Amino acid sequence: MTGLDGIELSSGTKVLLLWAGSQMSANMQNVASTISDKVKGGDDGRIQLEHIDRLLLSAHPNSHFDVVISGLVNPLETKHTTEILGELCRILKPSGNLYMQELALPSTEADNGLRKKDQLPSQLKLSGFVDICEPFEVSLNDDEKLELKQKSDSNEANLYRVTGKKPFYEVGSSSQLKLPFKPKAPAAKVDANVAKVWSLNSSDLMDDEVDLVDEDELLDENDLKKPDPASLKVECGPAKKKACKNCTCGLAEELDKESKSEIPAPAKTSACGNCYLGDAFRCASCPYLGMPAFKPGEKVALSSRQLNADA
């Protein structure tokens, strides 16, 4: 079908050629022979043919091939899954090349299970490849165009080639990062005389020549005077005075007396005007119920005998 134009092959290169479909195409032998002639020579120069559906079962060793060519034979039946691309990245040597051809759509919306052209580079990038080129269309001959029309219902489907490269390091390898760290600032020098002033040990405490300050001498006569309670009251101008919690200056008791004196005693009133005649003339809600009879306007007073319980 398509030629080997643009595929770099040299003597001593180990190449993996993948094909798809139920049977080999007529030109597969010609493609394999052409590749073999270019890579023969040296100890490793050879080509290996393999069906793309058997790739995951082959268990090739890591970094085994220099070049992988896929979709060059039976390209209209070749489809690269994420698993296949990941396996190709594994079996390629570091800096090895991948040449992939696949049927895709140039439009923004895919149909019939075909990918969009822009999805091909993204698929390679997610599989670990680098230096990925933009997909470019591969021309088809008349027989290939007829086969494409029979296998695809879309008139926009084209064959595209994408190339990628495995990174120059092995998959899963690690390397130590040498980060530039700022040197630590030198510690500040401590004056020996200053450190000696703040040092304290047992020998200094036991020395009889050490003069200790008498704490009583730090107080004068004014510090020993008891404050006047009146001076402790807080005057807040026209605002209402308020005693603090656990008041000791007497303000709390003073405010309590003022609040009690401001509450007027409830006046006893009579609805019928006969309360002074005694309980026989008083109703159930009479404020004088239980008190002795009295003259109108007279203040009710109980005798000392009435305040004592009966013997």
Side-chain angles (χ1 to χ4, degrees), residues 269-283 286-289 291-300:
T269 58
S270 174
C272 59
N274 297 326
C275 299
Y276 68 95
L277 298 177
D279 288 345
F281 300 92
R282 295 170 182 165
C283 59
C286 182
Y288 297 98
L289 190 64
M291 296 183 181
F294 56 91
K295 294 180 180 180
E298 181 183 5
K299 184 177 180 180
V300 179

Side-chain angles (χ1 to χ4, degrees), residues 112-286:
N112 298 330
L114 298 179
R115 292 192 182 95
K116 295 181 293 184
K117 180 186 70 172
D118 297 338
Q119 290 179 331
L120 297 179
S122 301
Q123 198 81 1
L124 288 179
K125 186 177 296 184
L126 293 175
S127 301
F129 289 93
V130 296
D131 297 339
I132 303 168
C133 74
E134 288 295 327
F136 60 91
E137 185 178 349
V138 178
S139 61
L140 302 176
N141 55 35
D142 294 338
D143 295 337
E144 294 168 351
K145 292 180 180 179
L146 180 60
E147 183 183 355
L148 174 61
K149 189 174 182 180
Q150 293 174 354
K151 292 183 178 180
S152 177
D153 297 333
S154 176
N155 295 326
E156 297 182 355
N158 296 319
L159 184 63
Y160 294 94
R161 177 181 292 182
V162 186
T163 63
K165 187 184 292 290
K166 181 176 178 176
F168 64 89
Y169 51 85
E170 185 55 79
V171 175
S173 60
S174 61
S175 177
Q176 184 179 3
L177 297 178
K178 296 181 180 180
L179 302 177
F181 292 99
K182 294 183 179 180
K184 294 183 178 179
K189 295 182 179 180
V190 180
D191 190 353
N193 296 327
V194 175
K196 186 177 180 181
V197 171
W198 291 99
S199 63
L200 187 66
N201 51 46
S202 58
S203 61
D204 295 335
L205 296 176
M206 298 301 293
D207 193 354
D208 296 337
E209 296 181 358
V210 176
D211 295 333
L212 300 180
V213 178
D214 187 1
E215 58 185 17
D216 294 335
E217 295 180 357
L218 301 177
L219 302 175
D220 54 16
E221 296 181 357
N222 294 328
D223 296 329
L224 300 177
K225 291 182 180 180
K226 187 176 181 180
D228 185 7
S231 63
L232 299 178
K233 295 182 180 181
V234 180
E235 297 294 340
C236 298
K240 186 177 181 181
K241 294 183 292 183
K242 185 177 181 182
C244 59
K245 188 177 181 181
N246 301 326
C247 178
T248 58
C249 65
L251 181 60
E253 291 80 359
E254 181 180 346
L255 295 177
D256 187 35
K257 291 180 181 179
E258 292 178 0
S259 61
K260 290 182 179 179
S261 62
E262 293 176 358
I263 301 175
K268 297 182 180 181
T269 58
S270 174
C272 59
N274 297 326
C275 299
Y276 68 95
L277 298 177
D279 288 345
F281 300 92
R282 295 170 182 165
C283 59
S285 60
C286 182

